[in-house]
Amino acid sequence: MASSLRLRGAASGLRYWSRRQQPAAASLAPVCSRSMASKTPVGFIGVGNMGNPMAKNLMKHGYPLVIYDVFPDACKEFQEAGEQVVSSPADVAEKADRIITVLPTSINAIEAYSGANGILKKVKKGSLLIDSSTIDPAISKELAKEVEKMGAVFMDAPVSGGVGAARSGNLTFMVGGVEDEFAAAQELLGCMGSHVVYCGAVGTGQAAKICNNMLLGISMIGTAEAMNLGIRLGLDPKLLAKILNMSSGRCWSSDSYNPVPGVMDGVPSANNYQGGFGTTLMAKDLGLAQDSATNTKSPIFLGSQAHQIYRMMCAKGYSKKDFSSVFQFLREEETF
């Protein structure tokens, strides 16, 4: 990637769509040649913890899929369900003119788009490429330039809500790109999420996601510290959680994703911190926030501290556990 990777753009405008708040009749009219009612194949690259349920929700809405994942086993259930499975991102681009990518890192995204067998090798003019990975905003901007050279459209649309929201189709999408293409992206994203927000130019979706995940990482550590302290002071964890959630300390980490085993069902802490959003990914996202803060000269004292804590967790065997395992980490670190 060229030196332009270091460029940072300013956010523009805000446009918001919510399945919960707007009736179907209020859907935006199509603004490009892709029909809003089209059920032509949709390419989907990356069917891991998040991508898998997202792709399944597109199937539930009647969209045939062209699937690729670097791990072939991840594609088996889609192949058994009758969906097309191909051997490279380029093959996806050859068979579909609307493609969604959900990948772990910036490097993975670059490889999927610009690699030897990447999307850009066979992308069709007029294709819509939506990247729902969480990556460096500068990478999104650079990819958008490369895509534009091929006569296609790139939009960044990272997601928030976790695996549970991905399964239920209640994700939030933060979208950056050409505003005239927002309606075309909304057609697909609305099948997987209940909130689709237009943030501005390419990269602003990533900017919003990075800010959200920095706050999430900080709040999870705070929740874990508060719960750990309360338990050591003799409070019952369920009672403490109940009090927090009816008081000013309430947050998503306490009321929807509590990190203490036994407090909530259906969350990673109830399953030995398996599934969910990995500690490695949280450390990666906080690293993106750190890079962005350095480039914009923005102080993020708590964000930087959270980054170091999650990096430490990765070094001490928590990398594959859900990021809420910070509670377990604190419990085991008596030296603190």
Side-chain angles (χ1 to χ4, degrees):
M1 290 291 173
S3 59
S4 59
L5 289 182
R6 304 272 49 97
L7 294 176
R8 292 294 184 272
S12 64
L14 176 68
R15 190 158 152 199
Y16 177 65
W17 173 86
S18 170
R19 191 171 67 225
R20 291 173 180 154
Q21 296 180 359
Q22 293 184 355
S27 297
L28 297 173
V31 294
C32 66
S33 61
R34 289 175 290 273
S35 168
M36 295 291 283
S38 173
K39 290 295 190 291
T40 56
V42 173
F44 207 103
I45 298 173
V47 285
N49 285 345
M50 290 294 290
N52 179 295
M54 291 168 66
K56 287 177 179 176
N57 279 323
L58 283 173
M59 290 169 61
K60 289 176 184 177
H61 283 79
Y63 289 94
L65 301 180
V66 181
I67 300 280
Y68 171 76
D69 193 282
V70 68
F71 297 107
D73 285 350
C75 302
K76 283 184 177 179
E77 62 177 314
F78 293 98
Q79 192 165 32
E80 291 169 357
E83 305 299 333
Q84 293 184 71
V85 174
V86 296
S87 59
S88 73
D91 292 339
V92 175
E94 186 176 37
K95 295 176 179 293
D97 62 7
R98 293 178 295 178
I99 301 172
I100 296 169
T101 52
V102 186
L103 303 163
T105 69
S106 296
I107 292 174
N108 297 132
I110 292 169
E111 181 64 22
Y113 282 89
S114 303
N117 292 301
I119 292 169
L120 295 181
K121 294 296 181 182
K122 296 184 179 180
V123 68
K124 304 170 188 175
K125 287 186 178 181
S127 292
L128 175 63
L129 311 179
I130 302 173
D131 182 35
S132 288
S133 316
T134 299
I135 63 174
D136 189 328
I139 299 295
S140 292
K141 294 174 187 177
E142 189 67 19
L143 290 175
K145 291 178 183 177
E146 296 301 314
V147 169
E148 186 178 3
K149 291 177 184 177
M150 304 300 293
V153 175
F154 178 92
M155 304 189 86
D156 59 304
V159 302
S160 179
V163 174
R167 291 193 186 112
S168 64
N170 287 317
L171 291 167
T172 293
F173 288 89
M174 292 149 272
V175 185
V178 178
E179 187 170 8
D180 285 348
E181 296 289 350
F182 178 62
Q186 177 192 307
E187 176 199 347
L188 299 176
L189 302 181
C191 297
M192 301 176 286
S194 53
H195 303 288
V196 183
V197 184
Y198 179 72
C199 300
V202 168
T204 56
Q206 297 294 351
K209 175 62 185 296
I210 288 169
C211 292
N212 178 80
N213 275 24
M214 182 178 74
L215 180 58
L216 175 61
I218 293 168
S219 68
M220 181 57 77
I221 293 170
T223 299
E225 288 183 347
M227 292 296 296
N228 186 42
L229 176 60
I231 291 167
R232 293 189 179 193
L233 288 172
L235 287 167
D236 175 79
K238 286 188 176 180
L239 175 63
L240 177 56
K242 180 179 179 181
I243 292 170
L244 292 177
N245 293 334
M246 62 174 61
S247 305
S248 56
R250 179 181 181 179
C251 63
W252 188 84
S253 295
S254 68
D255 72 2
S256 298
Y257 211 82
N258 198 283
V260 180
V263 170
M264 293 182 68
D265 294 325
V267 294
S269 62
N271 188 36
N272 195 30
Y273 300 105
Q274 299 304 304
F277 186 64
T279 298
T280 298
L281 293 176
M282 177 55 81
K284 181 264 295 184
D285 288 357
L286 288 168
L288 293 175
Q290 183 69 72
D291 291 343
S292 296
T294 299
N295 290 325
T296 59
K297 299 181 179 179
S298 303
I300 54 165
F301 303 116
L302 294 181
S304 295
Q305 187 64 44
H307 184 212
Q308 294 308 312
I309 289 171
Y310 281 108
R311 287 183 64 194
M312 191 183 307
M313 287 175 64
C314 290
K316 294 198 173 187
Y318 290 83
S319 61
K320 294 183 179 180
K321 290 181 178 288
D322 180 76
F323 80 107
S324 63
S325 63
V326 65
F327 173 78
Q328 186 181 57
F329 172 71
L330 292 172
R331 295 283 284 181
E332 294 177 354
E333 292 293 323
E334 298 289 344
T335 56
F336 285 163

